Amino acid sequence: MKNLQFPWLALGLGLLFALILLQTGGHVPDSDSKQVLPLLFRLLMSEFAFLLTLAGLFVSVRKMFAHGPSFTGIAVATGCLMLAGFFFYVGLLLWPG
C-alpha cells in the first residue's frame, strides 16, 4: 500500500468504528442499560481506532511537509485529528473508575 492511500484508509475505518460505537451504544459507560458490545471489546475498538487515526494524521502531516499543503491533505488530517480526539475521549469515558 502506498503512503498516499493510508490517511484515507485510516479516515474511512475511523468513521466506520465511530459509527459502530455510536449505533450500538458503545460510547455510554452506563452499566444499567443493555449493551450490545462487551466493555473490553469497546475499549479495544476505541484504542485501536485511536492509534489508527493517529497514524493517519502522522502520515498525512508528513506528506504535507514533503509535498506542500493541499485542501485534501488538510481535510484528511483534520478528520483524523478529530476522530483521534473522539476515540481518546470515548476510551477515557469507558475506562472503569
Side-chain angles (χ1 to χ4, degrees):
M1 173 190 313
K2 295 181 182 178
N3 283 344
L4 302 176
Q5 298 170 344
F6 182 75
W8 287 100
L9 180 65
L11 183 65
L13 284 175
L15 286 172
L16 179 68
F17 284 139
L19 181 67
I20 290 171
L21 279 175
L22 291 173
Q23 288 294 318
T24 59
H27 63 290
V28 180
D30 215 4
S31 61
D32 301 354
S33 63
K34 181 186 172 209
Q35 298 293 330
V36 177
L37 300 173
L39 178 62
L40 184 60
F41 185 72
R42 291 182 284 158
L43 283 168
L44 287 174
M45 183 184 289
S46 64
E47 182 179 350
F48 175 73
F50 169 71
L51 293 174
L52 180 72
T53 54
L54 199 64
L57 173 67
F58 179 72
V59 170
S60 179
V61 168
R62 283 190 63 194
K63 178 185 167 264
M64 281 193 290
F65 278 134
H67 301 290
S70 64
F71 177 73
T72 58
I74 293 171
V76 169
T78 304
C80 285
L81 177 66
M82 291 174 62
L83 281 174
F86 169 74
F87 289 121
F88 183 76
Y89 177 71
V90 167
L92 288 178
L93 193 70
L94 290 175
W95 194 259

